Amino acid sequence: MAISATRRTVGIGVATLALLGGAASGVATARTGAAGTVAVQAHADDASAAAKKCEYTSKYGWYCGYYKGNATVRTGSKGNAVREVQALINQTTPYKPKLSVDGDFGGKTKKAVVWFQKTYKVKPYDGIVGKKTWAELRLK
């Protein structure tokens, strides 16, 4: 059975999208036009599109590009220090589900911080990111 050029093109396009789209954590769609052309549209997840990649530095340890300090953050905190905590947990630990890197320290972030503290034995297990928890987050 022969495969038409249009179906082959769509198949190759969809396979490519699956590979590239999966790596980018986005959603991609392919449509076949009237002339047999394939239109590809990729929709990147907003959170992953804006995500910064954490890197290990000799000066700070793990750093995700949001915050370099170690000020205490806890439930109710907002801003770049919270984004840094969220990104560090997402990218340097196996914690699931991944956190939204939104800079809002709510219940999900607290749960992740408590998990981190218990997993890496950072006492007290209170869900507050102080100097000891920052130091461990930067090392992992």
Side-chain angles (χ1 to χ4, degrees):
M1 179 172 155
I3 299 175
S4 72
T6 301
R7 292 188 77 161
R8 184 176 39 220
T9 303
V10 170
I12 292 169
V14 170
T16 302
L17 289 171
L19 290 171
L20 295 176
S25 299
V27 176
T29 57
R31 293 189 317 269
T32 303
T37 59
V38 177
V40 177
Q41 187 173 16
H43 306 281
D45 180 289
D46 289 336
S48 65
K52 296 182 181 185
K53 184 170 171 57
C54 297
E55 296 180 352
Y56 194 83
T57 68
S58 59
K59 186 172 183 178
Y60 299 106
W62 284 105
Y63 172 63
C64 301
Y66 296 102
Y67 178 75
K68 295 177 180 175
N70 63 358
T72 299
V73 292
R74 57 175 53 102
T75 302
S77 296
K78 296 186 185 312
N80 283 336
V82 176
R83 283 183 189 88
E84 186 75 11
V85 169
Q86 293 165 332
L88 284 166
I89 289 174
N90 282 349
Q91 295 184 42
T92 65
T93 77
Y95 183 78
K96 299 279 189 220
K98 295 299 183 191
L99 297 167
S100 293
V101 181
D102 59 6
D104 186 4
F105 199 125
K108 291 178 182 178
T109 301
K110 181 176 181 176
K111 182 178 178 181
V113 170
V114 169
W115 170 88
F116 179 87
Q117 291 170 329
K118 287 180 179 179
T119 302
Y120 298 101
K121 310 221 179 337
V122 183
K123 293 182 181 179
Y125 308 142
D126 56 4
I128 298 170
V129 181
K131 289 183 189 222
K132 289 193 295 186
T133 302
W134 272 115
E136 194 68 20
L137 278 167
R138 298 280 191 205
L139 291 176
K140 295 296 166 201

